[in-house]
Amino acid sequence: MKKLGVKDRIIETASDLFYNNGYNQTGINQIIDEAGVAKASMYMHFRSKEDIAVAYLKRRHISWVSDLQDFVSNQITNREKLIASFDYLDSWLSSVNYRGCGWQNIITDLPHDHDKIRDQAVLHKNDVRVWVHSLLKDEDNLSDNEAMQLGDELVILLEGAIILSQIQKNKWPIEVAKRAAKKLLK
Amino acid sequence: MKKLGVKDRIIETASDLFYNNGYNQTGINQIIDEAGVAKASMYMHFRSKEDIAVAYLKRRHISWVSDLQDFVSNQITNREKLIASFDYLDSWLSSVNYRGCGWQNIITDLPHDHDKIRDQAVLHKNDVRVWVHSLLKDEDNLSDNEAMQLGDELVILLEGAIILSQIQKNKWPIEVAKRAAKKLLK
Amino acid sequence: MKKLGVKDRIIETASDLFYNNGYNQTGINQIIDEAGVAKASMYMHFRSKEDIAVAYLKRRHISWVSDLQDFVSNQITNREKLIASFDYLDSWLSSVNYRGCGWQNIITDLPHDHDKIRDQAVLHKNDVRVWVHSLLKDEDNLSDNEAMQLGDELVILLEGAIILSQIQKNKWPIEVAKRAAKKLLK
Amino acid sequence: MKKLGVKDRIIETASDLFYNNGYNQTGINQIIDEAGVAKASMYMHFRSKEDIAVAYLKRRHISWVSDLQDFVSNQITNREKLIASFDYLDSWLSSVNYRGCGWQNIITDLPHDHDKIRDQAVLHKNDVRVWVHSLLKDEDNLSDNEAMQLGDELVILLEGAIILSQIQKNKWPIEVAKRAAKKLLK
DNA sequence: AATGAATGAGACTTCATTCAT
DNA sequence: TATGAATGAAGTCTCATTCAT
């Protein structure tokens, strides 16, 4: 394990804590203790706790989207890739004990003025939406408009599967969403 | 305006604050101040902040489900009622500026040991699920199993529409979910 | 020594520290440590550090003015009382090692938004000014206008004596001011 | 606009901040940010924050005394020059919104061990005192002793006018001090 | 049944200074 | 000469809960 710089150690530690324990449940002191960093060092790299959360979400976005695309890459058709997205949810969420989506989790119980965090959530969800649209737009039998409409429906299913599996601590919502997705994709 | 008892005043005040400002953002002091109640009086009626949240969720469950059923009551067929459920989401969520679902919001960023709150979320979601199932089971052309499967798919769409409209601060996810629901219902 | 309540202990401790060590040099932690009070108890009684300073200044105002009036009370004429005011400065300031005036000290290096503290300083200085005026207005040979003009001149001498004795750590400015006051009073 | 060296930039920036915002309110980081200087560079030129304050006070002393002397230079007699000193206070203090005297401000709320700063305040006030004395010593009708006594009285009036105008945020104390000075000067 | 004072533990943030390059 | 990362200590303030009356 190679030695990380202070900033990376902070992001990594905070990411674990924010995702697994929650943003409000994670204090600055816990982050610096576990990262082995002085408090003022942390505030050299991040102006506020919210900024750490932004860094966490940015980093997570890159790896999450990358993992998703890797997961579905061995599927041949775009439709198959989209169906496989639900298998990705399954493998991901069961591996984190249905802890749910980092962006959903952080956005639902947030002080009203934390706009930078909200922005990250919107960016993340938009990127996923655009990716879904792009896969469908390459399909011959769909107009651009149809592709976007169908894509949005799949996006809703993905979101619903994530949040409901988190509440139920069970994978059935993912399976249900996958089945519904298959129906909608014909 | 009739005078409320202490306990009711606490629940009512806390409900507003928990839903609109968030559970972690709402302090005990704010609740008792706005409710006009002494602190120790509050702790006479509720063992902890978590218990207030449980009372809030119980009360909200009753009124939310009741509002939903009222909203769809003028629809004739059960299928129409289910479609109208998405219109209910629309009217509800736009009226609260897309603040989202009280149970989703409270469950996503919660200390790990708050099981009583988690239980309420599960109860709420199960009741909605059972209600959807029951409407479909009355439909002649569906087997019980088909009714449950289809119902679960609708439930996923409802959940996805709520959370995504909250993130996007927009109603489009609700419209999309409604369109998808219509397709699935044939 | 009778046992003081928490609030009084806080004010008393803070008063000592604010006056002798300075407002900015005195931390909340030092106050609660020396007062033997929990931090949250302090914030129950005072909304902020600034509010403690206001309480300190209010209490100090009462005792300072009272001490001044006691000190000069054995003088017969009002002119003699005013002259004796400079002797009061002498005895007071030498007893506190020329630490200077609590209001001057706190107002000169203060964050810009501490208006409540500034208000207290203005109130204090105005009360002293009014007292000086009132003594002179009772003098037969002065019109009201002359009394106010002469009084203001004495007030300036008092202020100048205080601040300069503090900088010089010496009583000569007080003696000089007294001599000038005698001249102005004829 | 000529380019300043690092040290001068630091002093200039710190001077603005110390005088206008206060010594305790001005942080090292703000100084280096606004001066555009690296932190360690600053500590190369100054051993501590206190040393920057000393440099600030030294530079301010030169310019302040010089401005005063320029202001009164067109007066013919020394008595007129001294009277005009109060006009200088007026023009200076109103131009800085009655921010008061840099030395008074920094000395009143200072950690106890900042002797170098205290020394600067004493030096400054002594220089002013000596200047006042020197003007009066040149007057034919005063003995050296009378000149010093009268000079000290004027000094007290100057000090009192400065601090009281700062507290009152008003020029009346300056006018009053000027009137008293005229009386004392006969 | 009801009060509000008191609490210990923690929240987030900033301080002036030093170190390693 | 110059840099900016890193630090320990301290800053002000808030948390949910309990105690004494």
Side-chain angles (χ1 to χ4, degrees):
Chain A
M1 175 175 126
K2 83 163 182 290
K3 183 126 182 316
L4 289 175
V6 168
K7 186 165 185 176
D8 277 328
R9 255 182 7 252
I10 294 169
I11 298 181
E12 203 135 298
T13 307
S15 294
D16 275 354
L17 293 169
F18 284 161
Y19 181 65
N20 292 304
N21 297 351
Y23 178 71
N24 289 298
Q25 270 54 54
T26 302
I28 287 291
N29 288 323
Q30 193 180 2
I31 294 172
I32 63 162
D33 283 353
E34 297 197 12
V37 166
K39 202 174 284 190
S41 305
M42 205 216 73
Y43 276 95
M44 259 241 334
H45 292 287
F46 301 96
R47 199 183 303 274
S48 67
K49 186 186 175 188
E50 185 181 10
D51 279 8
I52 305 178
V54 169
Y56 145 64
L57 293 174
K58 278 183 174 163
R59 176 171 296 199
R60 190 174 180 83
H61 174 67
I62 292 170
S63 67
W64 192 92
V65 168
S66 161
D67 286 351
L68 165 61
Q69 292 176 346
D70 284 355
F71 190 97
V72 303
S73 63
N74 59 338
Q75 302 295 323
I76 299 182
T77 71
N78 286 355
R79 274 181 155 79
E80 284 168 338
K81 286 183 200 292
L82 288 168
I83 297 297
S85 298
F86 291 88
D87 298 327
Y88 173 67
L89 290 195
D90 188 8
S91 95
W92 158 44
L93 289 169
S94 62
S95 77
V96 296
N97 196 29
Y98 302 100
R99 181 65 184 95
C101 166
W103 292 267
Q104 287 182 3
N105 291 345
I106 206 171
I107 215 175
T108 46
D109 192 4
L110 203 61
H112 280 130
D113 54 349
H114 280 37
D115 290 328
K116 286 185 284 189
I117 288 179
R118 292 185 197 282
D119 290 346
Q120 287 303 312
V122 173
L123 283 176
H124 170 71
K125 295 304 182 188
N126 278 344
D127 271 10
V128 174
R129 190 185 178 200
V130 165
W131 177 75
V132 171
H133 286 171
S134 71
L135 285 183
L136 287 172
K137 278 182 182 163
D138 290 343
E139 295 287 281
D140 295 338
N141 56 337
L142 292 176
S143 71
D144 272 17
N145 196 41
E146 286 171 329
M148 289 185 62
Q149 288 207 1
L150 182 53
D152 282 346
E153 292 165 18
L154 297 182
V155 164
I156 303 285
L157 288 171
L158 289 166
E159 294 297 317
I162 295 171
I163 186 70
L164 200 53
S165 74
Q166 179 176 11
I167 294 173
Q168 305 278 6
K169 293 281 180 199
N170 194 285
K171 63 162 49 178
W172 71 254
I174 304 170
E175 292 165 353
V176 167
K178 182 180 178 184
R179 191 178 60 222
K182 283 182 181 171
K183 290 187 192 173
L184 294 173
L185 286 167
K186 192 105 31 354
Chain B
M1 179 176 120
K2 82 165 184 290
K3 183 124 183 317
L4 289 175
V6 167
K7 187 164 183 174
D8 277 329
R9 278 213 310 284
I10 295 169
I11 299 180
E12 201 135 297
T13 307
S15 294
D16 274 354
L17 294 169
F18 284 161
Y19 181 65
N20 292 305
N21 297 349
Y23 178 71
N24 289 297
Q25 272 55 56
T26 302
I28 286 290
N29 287 321
Q30 193 180 1
I31 293 172
I32 62 164
D33 283 353
E34 297 195 13
V37 167
K39 192 171 285 193
S41 303
M42 199 216 75
Y43 274 95
M44 274 229 338
H45 291 288
F46 300 95
R47 195 185 304 276
S48 67
K49 186 185 177 187
E50 185 181 11
D51 280 7
I52 304 178
V54 169
Y56 145 63
L57 294 174
K58 278 183 175 163
R59 176 171 297 200
R60 190 175 180 84
H61 175 66
I62 292 170
S63 67
W64 192 91
V65 169
S66 161
D67 286 350
L68 166 61
Q69 292 176 346
D70 284 356
F71 190 97
V72 304
S73 63
N74 59 338
Q75 302 295 324
I76 299 181
T77 71
N78 286 356
R79 275 181 153 80
E80 285 168 337
K81 286 183 199 293
L82 288 169
I83 298 297
S85 298
F86 291 88
D87 297 327
Y88 173 67
L89 290 194
D90 188 8
S91 93
W92 158 45
L93 289 169
S94 64
S95 77
V96 297
N97 195 30
Y98 302 99
R99 180 68 184 93
C101 166
W103 292 266
Q104 286 182 5
N105 290 345
I106 205 171
I107 214 175
T108 46
D109 192 5
L110 203 61
H112 280 131
D113 53 351
H114 280 37
D115 291 327
K116 287 186 281 189
I117 289 179
R118 291 186 195 284
D119 290 346
Q120 287 303 311
V122 173
L123 283 176
H124 169 71
K125 295 303 181 188
N126 278 344
D127 272 10
V128 174
R129 190 184 178 200
V130 165
W131 177 75
V132 172
H133 287 171
S134 71
L135 285 182
L136 287 172
K137 278 181 183 165
D138 290 344
E139 295 287 282
D140 295 340
N141 57 337
L142 292 175
S143 71
D144 272 17
N145 196 39
E146 287 171 329
M148 289 186 60
Q149 289 207 359
L150 183 52
D152 282 348
E153 292 165 17
L154 297 182
V155 165
I156 303 286
L157 288 171
L158 288 167
E159 294 298 317
I162 294 171
I163 186 70
L164 200 52
S165 74
Q166 179 175 11
I167 293 173
Q168 306 277 6
K169 293 279 178 199
N170 193 286
K171 63 161 50 176
W172 71 255
I174 304 170
E175 294 166 351
V176 168
K178 183 181 179 184
R179 191 177 59 222
K182 282 182 181 169
K183 290 186 190 174
L184 294 173
L185 286 166
K186 191 118 30 329
Chain C
M1 175 176 126
K2 80 163 185 289
K3 182 120 184 319
L4 290 174
V6 168
K7 184 165 186 175
D8 278 328
R9 257 186 2 257
I10 294 168
I11 298 181
E12 204 134 296
T13 308
S15 294
D16 276 354
L17 293 169
F18 284 161
Y19 181 66
N20 292 306
N21 296 352
Y23 177 72
N24 289 297
Q25 270 53 56
T26 302
I28 287 291
N29 288 321
Q30 193 180 1
I31 295 173
I32 62 163
D33 283 352
E34 296 197 12
V37 165
K39 200 172 288 187
S41 305
M42 206 216 71
Y43 277 95
M44 258 241 334
H45 292 287
F46 301 96
R47 199 183 303 274
S48 67
K49 186 186 175 187
E50 185 180 11
D51 279 7
I52 305 178
V54 169
Y56 145 63
L57 293 173
K58 279 183 174 164
R59 176 171 296 200
R60 191 175 180 84
H61 175 67
I62 292 171
S63 68
W64 192 92
V65 169
S66 163
D67 287 351
L68 165 61
Q69 292 176 347
D70 285 356
F71 190 97
V72 303
S73 62
N74 59 338
Q75 302 294 324
I76 299 181
T77 70
N78 286 355
R79 274 182 155 77
E80 285 168 337
K81 288 184 198 293
L82 287 168
I83 299 296
S85 298
F86 291 87
D87 298 327
Y88 173 67
L89 290 194
D90 188 9
S91 93
W92 158 46
L93 289 169
S94 64
S95 78
V96 297
N97 196 31
Y98 302 99
R99 182 64 184 98
C101 165
W103 292 267
Q104 286 182 5
N105 290 346
I106 205 171
I107 215 175
T108 45
D109 193 5
L110 203 59
H112 281 129
D113 54 349
H114 280 37
D115 292 326
K116 286 185 283 190
I117 289 179
R118 292 185 196 281
D119 290 346
Q120 286 304 311
V122 173
L123 284 175
H124 170 71
K125 296 303 182 190
N126 278 344
D127 271 10
V128 174
R129 189 185 178 199
V130 165
W131 177 75
V132 172
H133 287 171
S134 71
L135 286 182
L136 287 172
K137 279 183 183 164
D138 291 343
E139 295 287 281
D140 294 339
N141 58 337
L142 291 175
S143 72
D144 273 15
N145 197 39
E146 287 171 328
M148 287 185 61
Q149 289 207 0
L150 184 51
D152 282 347
E153 293 164 19
L154 298 182
V155 164
I156 303 286
L157 288 171
L158 290 165
E159 295 297 319
I162 295 170
I163 186 70
L164 201 53
S165 74
Q166 179 176 12
I167 293 172
Q168 305 278 5
K169 292 282 177 199
N170 194 285
K171 65 162 48 178
W172 71 255
I174 304 170
E175 292 166 350
V176 168
K178 184 181 179 184
R179 192 176 61 222
K182 283 182 180 168
K183 291 186 190 173
L184 295 173
L185 285 167
K186 192 113 39 304
Chain D
M1 177 178 121
K2 84 164 183 291
K3 183 120 182 321
L4 290 174
V6 168
K7 187 165 185 174
D8 278 328
R9 276 212 315 282
I10 294 169
I11 298 180
E12 201 134 298
T13 307
S15 295
D16 275 354
L17 293 169
F18 284 162
Y19 181 65
N20 292 305
N21 296 349
Y23 178 71
N24 289 297
Q25 272 56 55
T26 301
I28 287 289
N29 286 320
Q30 192 181 2
I31 294 172
I32 61 164
D33 283 353
E34 297 195 12
V37 167
K39 191 171 285 192
S41 303
M42 200 218 73
Y43 274 95
M44 275 228 340
H45 291 288
F46 300 96
R47 195 184 305 274
S48 68
K49 186 185 175 187
E50 184 181 12
D51 280 8
I52 304 178
V54 169
Y56 145 65
L57 293 174
K58 279 183 174 162
R59 175 170 299 197
R60 189 174 180 85
H61 175 67
I62 292 171
S63 67
W64 193 92
V65 170
S66 162
D67 287 351
L68 166 61
Q69 292 177 346
D70 284 356
F71 191 96
V72 303
S73 62
N74 58 338
Q75 302 295 324
I76 298 182
T77 70
N78 286 356
R79 274 182 155 76
E80 285 169 336
K81 287 184 198 293
L82 288 167
I83 298 297
S85 298
F86 292 87
D87 298 327
Y88 173 66
L89 290 194
D90 188 7
S91 94
W92 159 45
L93 289 169
S94 63
S95 76
V96 297
N97 196 30
Y98 303 100
R99 182 66 184 94
C101 165
W103 292 267
Q104 287 182 6
N105 290 346
I106 205 170
I107 214 174
T108 46
D109 190 6
L110 203 61
H112 281 130
D113 53 351
H114 281 38
D115 291 326
K116 286 185 283 189
I117 288 178
R118 291 187 195 282
D119 290 347
Q120 287 304 311
V122 173
L123 283 175
H124 169 72
K125 296 302 181 189
N126 278 344
D127 271 11
V128 174
R129 190 184 178 199
V130 166
W131 177 75
V132 172
H133 286 171
S134 71
L135 286 182
L136 287 172
K137 278 181 182 164
D138 291 343
E139 294 288 283
D140 296 339
N141 58 337
L142 292 174
S143 71
D144 273 14
N145 196 40
E146 287 171 329
M148 287 186 61
Q149 288 206 0
L150 183 52
D152 282 346
E153 293 165 18
L154 297 182
V155 164
I156 303 286
L157 287 171
L158 289 166
E159 295 296 318
I162 294 170
I163 186 70
L164 201 53
S165 74
Q166 180 176 11
I167 293 172
Q168 305 279 6
K169 293 278 177 199
N170 194 285
K171 65 162 46 177
W172 72 255
I174 304 170
E175 293 165 352
V176 168
K178 184 182 179 184
R179 191 177 60 221
K182 283 181 180 170
K183 290 185 190 174
L184 294 173
L185 286 165
K186 192 109 22 20

